[in-house]
């Protein structure tokens, strides 16, 4: 039986998954920051990595990968293929007509330039994901349902997240990365009827995330929260989300704290919640 480890955060907010197939091959999702690498290496334990999926260019998701590429060319890992689809930095950095230019450029400059700088070290292993692609790794099937859509600029990096459904003969997991409301809307309309899964990785750590309609379409029986305890228990409208005028001007409405998301899950009848703030979680697939 395949198994999935949802790694607890050594660094705040990070997201890191290690999926091990029946034949002992590995799929990694993101990996977290550089301080999370020792824990990741512990669970990989020298196994062959058939796929390393990078959902989007934020520090808490890919800083560890970038640092490993920069310092030792990823030599600590036996990687077959690296899957991603990131925004075009050179094109987007020239834009000025966006909802919040300062935030937009901050997003672009967080880690994407560092990632682009180390790309030559793994160029022969990279694969730019196209929406609708499917890959099979032993008994694990992955279908990419959402990739970067040009024009989603209000929540640039989060809404560039890869979203994909992982299936085994026994179960399924929907990965949403850090998708926000707008990216989630497109995922919903482009994949209506294809989102259902037993497990759901809660988008953007469970807050400022996709709409209730997306989760209703997934209809999960269990939710996976990449979140410390304080974030999992966050109030419905924390102070940093309470500035309605800024949210309106920056086109960042419909963003709520995790209390709203937890209420949605209660309405959907979800009984099981895996929270990384309580430690590394193991799920049999």
């Amino acid at each position: 039986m395949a198994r999935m480890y949802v790694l607890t955060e050594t660094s705040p907010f990070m997201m890191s998954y290690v999926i091990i197939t029946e034949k002992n091959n590995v799929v990694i999702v993101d990996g977290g920051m550089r301080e999370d690498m020792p824990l990741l290496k512990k669970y990989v334990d020298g196994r062959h990595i058939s796929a390393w999926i990078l959902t989007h260019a934020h520090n808490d998701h890919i800083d560890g990968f970038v640092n490993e590429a920069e310092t030792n060319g990823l030599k600590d890992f036996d990687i077959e293929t690296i899957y991603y689809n990131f925004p075009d930095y050179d094109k987007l950095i020239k834009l000025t007509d966006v909802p919040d230019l300062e935030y937009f450029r901050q997003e672009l400059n967080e880690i994407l330039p560092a990632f682009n700088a180390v790309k030559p070290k793994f160029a022969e292993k990279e694969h730019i994901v196209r929406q609708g692609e499917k890959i099979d790794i032993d008994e694990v099937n992955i279908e990419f349902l959402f990739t970067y859509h040009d024009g989603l600029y209000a929540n640039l990096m989060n809404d560039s997240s890869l979203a994909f459904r992982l299936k085994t003969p026994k179960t399924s997991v929907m990965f949403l990365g850090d998708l926000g409301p707008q990216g989630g809307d497109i995922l919903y309309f482009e994949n209506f009827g294809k989102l259902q899964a037993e497990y759901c990785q809660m988008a953007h750590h469970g807050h400022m995330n996709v709409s209730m309609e997306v989760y209703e379409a997934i209809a999960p029986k269990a939710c996976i929260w990449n979140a410390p305890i304080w974030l999992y228990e966050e109030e419905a409208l924390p102070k940093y989300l309470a500035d309605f005028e800024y949210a309106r001007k920056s086109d960042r409405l419909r963003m709520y704290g995790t209390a709203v998301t937890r209420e949605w899950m209660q309405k959907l009848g979800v009984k099981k919640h895996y929270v990384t703030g309580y430690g590394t979680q193991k799920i049999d697939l």
Side-chain angles (χ1 to χ4, degrees):
M1 176 184 294
R3 58 198 186 277
M4 176 169 71
Y5 295 96
V6 190
L7 303 190
T8 192
E9 56 271 357
T10 306
S11 63
F13 315 118
M14 78 91 179
M15 183 166 126
S16 182
Y17 288 73
V18 175
I19 298 139
I20 304 173
T21 73
E22 290 180 352
K23 294 184 178 179
N24 217 30
N25 291 306
V26 167
V27 176
I28 294 176
V29 181
D30 286 345
M33 297 184 70
R34 61 194 68 191
E35 52 264 48
D36 301 299
M37 288 297 100
L39 184 61
L40 179 68
K41 292 175 183 178
K42 173 185 173 182
Y43 280 89
V44 172
D45 195 25
R47 296 179 179 89
H48 175 68
I49 301 167
S50 298
W52 193 323
I53 301 171
L54 305 174
T55 62
H56 66 290
H58 267 158
N59 281 333
D60 56 332
H61 291 257
I62 69 163
D63 172 73
F65 175 90
V66 171
N67 185 65
E68 290 289 323
E70 185 178 47
T71 56
N72 64 15
L74 297 165
K75 291 180 180 177
D76 289 349
F77 299 98
D78 174 22
I79 306 171
E80 183 175 336
T81 308
I82 298 160
Y83 296 87
Y84 70 95
N85 186 332
F86 293 167
D88 184 335
Y89 179 90
D90 292 334
K91 171 188 172 182
L92 297 185
I93 199 64
K94 298 174 184 176
L95 297 182
T96 57
D97 186 18
V98 295
D100 185 336
L101 182 59
E102 181 180 358
Y103 178 79
F104 180 79
R105 288 181 173 170
Q106 177 184 321
E107 287 280 276
L108 276 172
N109 286 312
E110 179 173 301
I111 196 168
L112 189 53
F115 176 84
N116 288 338
V118 299
K119 280 172 60 174
K121 299 192 176 186
F122 56 83
E124 73 282 359
K125 298 179 180 181
E126 74 172 6
H127 179 88
I128 308 303
V129 178
R130 302 303 174 197
Q131 189 162 308
E133 279 192 80
K134 297 179 181 180
I135 57 174
D136 292 304
I137 300 160
D138 301 331
E139 79 280 20
V140 174
N141 169 266
I142 294 171
E143 181 177 4
F144 293 98
L145 301 176
F146 182 93
T147 60
Y148 170 66
H149 285 55
D150 193 30
L152 293 178
Y153 297 153
N155 192 20
L156 174 64
M157 285 305 172
N158 286 342
D159 277 340
S160 74
S161 293
L162 294 177
F164 55 95
R165 186 170 61 176
L166 180 152
K167 295 181 69 175
T168 71
K170 296 182 179 179
T171 192
S172 54
V173 185
M174 187 68 206
F175 285 86
L176 296 172
D178 273 4
L179 281 181
Q182 292 178 324
D185 289 348
I186 295 173
L187 170 71
Y188 178 85
F189 285 110
E190 291 184 342
N191 296 279
F192 188 77
K194 296 178 63 178
L195 300 177
Q196 196 280 326
E198 297 287 308
Y199 297 87
C200 180
Q201 174 254 311
M202 306 304 286
H204 195 232
H205 317 278
H207 72 154
M208 303 170 67
N209 64 150
V210 301
S211 69
M212 169 67 165
E213 288 81 4
V214 176
Y215 290 119
E216 187 174 29
I218 296 169
K221 294 183 179 179
C223 296
I224 306 168
W225 303 73
N226 296 97
I229 301 305
W230 71 263
L231 180 58
Y232 178 65
E233 297 177 349
E234 186 180 49
E235 59 187 337
L237 190 63
K239 291 180 180 179
Y240 62 88
L241 295 177
D243 187 343
F244 172 78
E245 189 62 23
Y246 168 75
R248 184 185 64 80
K249 289 181 179 179
S250 60
D251 197 20
R252 289 167 63 80
L253 295 170
R254 297 165 55 217
M255 292 188 173
Y256 316 103
T258 52
V260 171
T261 311
R262 285 187 279 111
E263 183 178 336
W264 291 345
M265 296 308 105
Q266 185 176 10
K267 290 179 179 178
L268 291 177
V270 179
K271 304 295 184 183
K272 181 66 176 177
H273 297 272
Y274 298 86
V275 183
T276 58
Y278 293 118
T280 294
Q281 308 290 310
K282 178 188 175 185
I283 300 173
D284 290 330
L285 301 177

